[in-house]
Amino acid sequence: MKRVSLYIIALLITATVSSCGKFYKLEKSTDWDKLYSAANEYYEKGDYNKAIILYDKVLPVIRGSERSELAEFNYAYSHFRIKRYIEAAGYFKSFYDTYNRSPMAEEALFMNSYALFLDAPDFNLDQRSSRDAVNAIQLFINRFPQSDSYERAMTMIDDLQKRFEEKAYQESKMYYRLTEGLFPGEFYRACIINFQNFAKSYPDSKYNEELAYKLVEVSAAYAERSVFNKKEERLNQSINFADTFHRRYPNSEFLKKVENLSTKTQAELMAHQKLKKEYDERTTAAKEAAEEEKRNKEATEALRNADNQGN
C-alpha cells in the first residue's frame, strides 16, 4: 500500500514538473501561433494566470488581426476570473471601444460595469469608485436599453444608491454628534444644511423622518444659543421646520417631541419679541432724548452768539 502511494506521488511530481517545463518553453517561444493557441487552451481550462502570461506575450503581435478580438476578450475575462476587477474593467472597456460592432461588445460593456460594481467598497468607505461604477452602469443602460442584462444593471444601481444613502446618513449622524461639543455653533449650522441636503438628495429615504425630527431639535438649540440680532430669524426657522414635520409625518413617533420643541420655541420667540420691543422702545427714547439735547445745545449756542453780536 505504501509503495502504491509513493508511486502516485511520484507520478504527480513528474506531471507537475513536466507541466511546468512545458509552460516554461512556451514562455520562451516566439511561435506566435503556438502561443495564441496555448493561451486559449489555458483559458478554456480555467488556468487564468498562465493564460494572462501568454496573452501578454502574444497580444502586442496579433493586435489588429482577426485573432486579436477573441484574445482580448478572453484576456479581460481572465483578469475578472481571478478577481482583478479594476484591471478587468479597464480591459473590457478597451475591448468595447475597439470592437463596438462585435457580437461580444454588449457583454464587454456590461462586464466593465459589473467589474467596477464588484470592486465598489462598503458604504463606510470612500465612495468615489462606487460613483465610477454608477457611471459605467448608466453608460451600459443608455447604449443597450433592450439588453437581457438591463434589469440586472438596474439592480446594481439600486444597490450602489443605497450605499450612497447610508454613507450620507452616517455623515449626518456625525454632524449631529458634533453639536454636543464645547463649541457647537458652527456644527449646528453645518448639521442643519446637511439634513436639508440629505432630504433633497434622497427624498424617498427611510431616514428622512428621523432626520426631519433632528432638524427641528438642532435648529431649536441653535436658535436658543444665537446672538440677539439673529435669534428671531432662527427661532422662526425652527418653528417652520416643526410645521413642515407635522404636515409630512402626522402619525410619527417623534410628533410629541416635535410639538414640545415647537411650543417651547414659540414661547421663546414671544419672550424675545417682547424683549426686542422693549429694547427698541428704549433705544428710540434714548435717541429722541439725545436729539432733543442736541437741539437744545444748538439753540443755546445760537442765543449766545446773538448776544455776543449785540454787544
Side-chain angles (χ1 to χ4, degrees):
M1 185 69 181
K2 187 175 180 180
R3 289 181 178 177
V4 172
S5 298
L6 291 172
Y7 177 70
I8 292 172
I9 292 171
L11 285 177
L12 290 173
I13 293 173
T14 302
T16 302
V17 171
S18 175
S19 174
C20 291
K22 177 183 176 183
F23 184 75
Y24 178 77
K25 289 180 180 178
L26 282 169
E27 279 192 283
K28 300 300 179 183
S29 175
T30 56
D31 186 337
W32 309 118
D33 290 334
K34 189 176 182 180
L35 283 170
Y36 174 78
S37 299
N40 290 335
E41 287 174 12
Y42 279 118
Y43 174 80
E44 294 298 331
K45 288 191 298 184
D47 197 340
Y48 301 113
N49 285 303
K50 288 182 179 177
I52 288 171
I53 292 171
L54 297 184
Y55 281 132
D56 276 331
K57 288 183 64 66
V58 77
L59 273 172
V61 178
I62 66 171
R63 186 162 281 125
S65 69
E66 294 180 0
R67 294 181 297 179
S68 178
E69 184 176 330
L70 178 62
E72 291 189 50
F73 191 72
N74 289 350
Y75 186 64
Y77 253 118
S78 294
H79 284 83
F80 180 83
R81 297 301 185 196
I82 59 175
K83 299 184 179 181
R84 293 180 183 171
Y85 296 128
I86 292 297
E87 293 95 327
Y91 292 132
F92 279 122
K93 183 62 167 60
S94 177
F95 178 92
Y96 176 80
D97 291 340
T98 305
Y99 307 102
N100 54 64
R101 295 185 180 181
S102 166
M104 298 179 285
E106 178 183 327
E107 183 178 354
L109 193 59
F110 174 79
M111 290 304 299
N112 162 247
S113 64
Y114 185 47
L116 290 172
F117 170 77
L118 291 178
D119 189 68
D122 291 336
F123 73 87
N124 56 324
L125 300 175
D126 191 328
Q127 293 297 308
R128 279 177 291 186
S129 59
S130 297
R131 298 191 186 283
D132 291 339
V134 169
N135 292 336
I137 297 167
Q138 193 62 58
L139 175 63
F140 170 77
I141 289 171
N142 293 342
R143 297 282 173 86
F144 299 101
Q146 305 301 321
S147 172
D148 291 340
S149 299
Y150 181 88
E151 292 299 328
R152 190 178 176 191
M154 292 303 296
T155 300
M156 287 156 55
I157 281 189
D158 289 343
D159 183 282
L160 292 169
Q161 290 293 352
K162 288 177 182 177
R163 297 186 205 184
F164 299 150
E165 180 183 329
E166 189 66 31
K167 177 78 169 177
Y169 172 67
Q170 294 300 330
E171 288 177 350
S172 295
K173 288 179 66 177
M174 177 195 70
Y175 278 110
Y176 181 75
R177 288 193 295 271
L178 290 172
T179 63
E180 299 174 356
L182 292 175
F183 305 101
E186 290 299 316
F187 294 118
Y188 278 130
R189 184 164 61 235
C191 196
I192 290 168
I193 293 171
N194 188 275
F195 288 172
Q196 290 177 302
N197 288 341
F198 183 93
K200 291 176 184 177
S201 299
Y202 307 100
D204 300 320
S205 173
K206 62 182 179 180
Y207 299 121
N208 277 331
E209 181 179 335
E210 176 192 351
L211 294 183
Y213 157 64
K214 291 185 183 299
L215 181 60
V216 176
E217 183 184 29
V218 169
S219 63
Y222 186 39
E224 183 182 356
R225 292 162 175 77
S226 291
V227 295
F228 188 82
N229 63 336
K230 292 285 187 179
K231 192 159 191 167
E232 183 172 1
E233 175 190 345
R234 290 168 182 169
L235 287 167
N236 278 317
Q237 183 186 51
S238 182
I239 292 169
N240 289 334
F241 288 150
D243 290 342
T244 300
F245 183 94
H246 195 284
R247 290 195 304 272
R248 289 182 179 173
Y249 308 106
N251 301 312
S252 172
E253 63 178 296
F254 302 112
L255 189 60
K256 188 64 179 176
K257 292 181 179 179
V258 169
E259 288 175 346
N260 290 339
L261 283 167
S262 182
T263 299
K264 180 182 176 182
T265 304
Q266 287 174 7
E268 190 169 352
L269 176 61
M270 291 177 65
H272 176 76
Q273 287 174 333
K274 181 181 178 181
L275 183 62
K276 184 173 182 291
K277 182 180 178 182
E278 293 173 354
Y279 173 80
D280 288 342
E281 288 174 350
R282 288 197 301 270
T283 301
T284 300
K287 184 178 180 181
E288 289 175 350
E291 289 175 351
E292 179 67 22
E293 183 180 357
K294 180 181 179 183
R295 286 195 297 270
N296 290 337
K297 285 182 177 180
E298 289 174 349
T300 301
E301 186 67 26
L303 287 172
R304 184 180 294 114
N305 292 335
D307 288 344
N308 291 336
Q309 290 175 1
N311 293 331

